[in-house]
Amino acid sequence: MADAADVRRLALALPHVTEVDSDGFDFRVADKGFVWSYPERRPGGPRVIRTDIAVLYVGDEAEKQALLLGEPDLFFTTPGYDGLPLVMLRLDRVDVDRLDELVTDAWRMRAPEALAGQLGPTG
């Protein structure tokens, strides 16, 4: 089981990551977000920052659908994210090793090519 502290530790271990000041967590590389707290919008009320749910950049719709259909216990989406290459991850249902893989993959997709190459080839 992972949590927001794990997200923070894993994201900050990657090269050239900055953390944006927020009520939860929000990490960027080259000014591009790759993982952040889910800003849940509730009808008639203010949004609530959910640090138990991470929003991850996944690159494209095919990858998004593969995650949503393949592991619906871990991943979900909302209508506000339709058409965007983003999924929400339930942190309390993922182990830290898998979280590390997901955060690193999101970072690789957002980092400039020269920077992403610093981590070596993907496994």
Side-chain angles (χ1 to χ4, degrees):
M1 180 168 114
D3 61 20
D6 293 313
V7 173
R8 181 169 280 110
R9 178 179 52 79
L10 294 169
L12 290 174
L14 295 164
H16 300 279
V17 168
T18 57
E19 183 172 9
V20 175
D21 186 33
S22 71
D23 290 335
F25 52 85
D26 186 344
F27 297 98
R28 299 178 187 209
V29 60
D31 293 322
K32 296 178 183 176
F34 66 98
V35 62
W36 58 90
S37 303
Y38 173 47
E40 183 176 24
R41 285 156 178 73
R42 297 185 177 166
R47 71 181 186 160
V48 175
I49 302 300
R50 299 277 307 268
T51 59
D52 61 322
I53 298 172
V55 179
L56 287 162
Y57 184 84
V58 295
D60 62 32
E61 187 66 22
E63 180 66 17
K64 177 179 182 171
Q65 292 305 316
L67 292 169
L68 293 171
L69 295 171
E71 299 175 89
D73 57 317
L74 291 181
F75 301 100
F76 70 99
T77 190
T78 65
Y81 287 90
D82 286 351
L84 299 173
L86 305 168
V87 294
M88 280 66 85
L89 169 67
R90 295 173 179 94
L91 293 174
D92 65 350
R93 297 185 187 179
V94 67
D95 67 43
V96 174
D97 288 339
R98 180 69 191 286
L99 178 63
D100 186 16
E101 174 188 319
L102 293 164
V103 169
T104 301
D105 286 349
W107 178 90
R108 280 185 195 279
M109 287 182 268
R110 299 299 271 174
E113 191 173 322
L115 186 57
Q118 291 182 12
L119 288 185
T122 58

